[in-house]
């Protein structure tokens, strides 16, 4: 899996958009970009993933640069419940037998 | 949709005792996984299954067994618990692994004394 780099922490005011960046300059052509988060003492939560195109679902939007070397996860209206550690993972699709490797991630703190 | 559920949520075992952790998913996912998460160690894959009736070893399978008799259930067994198996266990499921994300359960916190 390609290596990813994320800022260790970010702050966001409640109701504002949270934009979480991720660098993955060594990404291969068959590797997807995934975002997960883990709220303290809970299980990891899948958020969104993409290959080349920007993606949006009910939780977030994922913007991938044209060269695919970086991406941004956007939480459009952050709430206090979005306070969590966010993990950007780059991973090929055919890896059922290997664990998801979470790096250190970005700790997002949302405050009122 | 309950998603992925795990039972029990907490358990304390004595060394040598056995137990089974149950994972159930109602999303008709083909793939299911068992992970353990320890402080500073990240997620480690114990066993996984790519379909009903099939199982395979992950990265840390020793001391654990699994069964997938029904598509929606994935059982993790500890035959003779050891203190090194004290951990938080997460089950996850996904559609066939063509780029889909994994959906996790809430976890089982196991302590072996």
């Amino acid at each position: 899996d390609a290596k990813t780099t994320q800022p260790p922490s970010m702050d966001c005011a409640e109701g504002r958009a949270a934009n979480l960046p991720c660098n993955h300059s060594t990404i291969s052509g068959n590797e997807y970009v995934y975002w997960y988060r883990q709220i303290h003492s809970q299980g990891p939560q899948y958020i969104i993933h993409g290959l080349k195109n920007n993606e949006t679902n009910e939780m977030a939007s994922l913007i991938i640069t044209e060269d695919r070397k970086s991406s941004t996860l956007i939480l459009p209206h952050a709430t206090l419940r979005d306070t969590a550690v966010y993990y950007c993972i780059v991973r090929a699709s055919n890896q059922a037998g290997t664990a998801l490797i979470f790096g250190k991630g970005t700790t997002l703190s949302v405050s009122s | 949709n309950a998603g992925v559920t795990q039972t029990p949520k907490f358990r304390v075992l004595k060394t040598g005792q056995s137990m089974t952790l149950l994972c159930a998913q109602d999303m008709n996912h083909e793939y299911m996984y068992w992970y353990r998460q320890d402080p500073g160690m990240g997620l480690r894959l114990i066993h996984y299954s790519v379909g009903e009736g099939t199982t395979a070893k992950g990265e840390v399978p020793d001391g654990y067994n699994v069964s997938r008799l029904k598509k929606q259930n994935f059982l993790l067994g500890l035959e003779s618990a050891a203190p090194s198996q004290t951990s938080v266990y997460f089950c996850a499921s996904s559609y066939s692994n063509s780029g889909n994300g994994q959906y996790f359960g809430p976890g089982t916190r196991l302590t072996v004394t």
Side-chain angles (χ1 to χ4, degrees):
Chain A
D1 294 341
K3 180 178 169 57
T4 61
T5 305
Q6 300 177 252
S9 63
M10 294 184 65
D11 295 319
C12 181
E14 190 176 23
R16 304 298 294 266
N19 297 289
L20 291 86
C22 180
N23 286 322
H24 32 79
S25 58
T26 61
I27 191 170
S28 300
N30 67 338
E31 289 181 319
Y32 290 76
V33 179
Y34 296 85
W35 283 84
Y36 288 81
R37 72 181 182 184
Q38 190 164 21
I39 298 169
H40 182 63
S41 296
Q42 296 186 21
Q45 182 182 20
Y46 162 76
I47 301 173
I48 198 167
H49 75 281
L51 184 63
K52 296 179 183 178
N53 300 321
N54 298 337
E55 302 287 346
T56 296
N57 63 20
E58 65 278 4
M59 289 183 66
S61 294
L62 173 61
I63 308 299
I64 303 174
T65 57
E66 192 169 341
D67 63 8
R68 302 211 320 128
K69 291 185 177 182
S70 66
S71 60
T72 301
L73 178 74
I74 301 172
L75 306 179
H77 306 286
T79 71
L80 298 178
R81 287 177 293 181
D82 292 322
T83 293
V85 182
Y86 286 77
Y87 299 99
C88 170
I89 300 170
V90 171
R91 179 177 168 92
S93 62
N94 57 343
Q95 292 187 300
T98 60
L100 296 177
I101 299 174
F102 290 168
K104 296 191 185 306
T106 296
T107 298
L108 176 67
S109 300
V110 181
S111 57
S112 56
Chain B
N1 258 359
V4 180
T5 58
Q6 294 183 233
T7 53
K9 290 185 170 52
F10 302 94
R11 185 73 186 269
V12 178
L13 288 179
K14 294 186 187 308
T15 297
Q17 288 185 317
S18 63
M19 77 165 295
T20 300
L21 283 68
L22 172 63
C23 175
Q25 53 93 6
D26 61 1
M27 296 174 283
N28 203 33
H29 285 167
E30 292 88 1
Y31 286 28
M32 296 187 75
Y33 316 81
W34 275 108
Y35 292 92
R36 58 178 290 176
Q37 187 175 43
D38 303 292
M41 296 291 291
L43 287 173
R44 291 187 287 172
L45 184 65
I46 305 172
H47 285 280
Y48 65 100
S49 167
V50 299
E52 181 180 322
T54 71
T55 63
K57 294 181 180 179
E59 297 156 341
V60 288
D62 293 343
Y64 305 94
N65 57 74
V66 288
S67 64
R68 183 117 181 253
L69 299 180
K70 294 182 179 180
K71 185 177 184 178
Q72 63 268 34
N73 296 338
F74 196 28
L75 279 62
L76 178 71
L78 285 73
E79 291 184 344
S80 179
S84 60
Q85 294 178 304
T86 293
S87 188
V88 181
Y89 291 85
F90 292 109
C91 176
S93 69
S94 70
Y95 288 111
S96 60
N97 210 36
S98 55
N100 291 287
Q102 295 182 21
Y103 293 80
F104 284 78
T108 294
R109 192 170 298 272
L110 174 67
T111 302
V112 183
T113 61

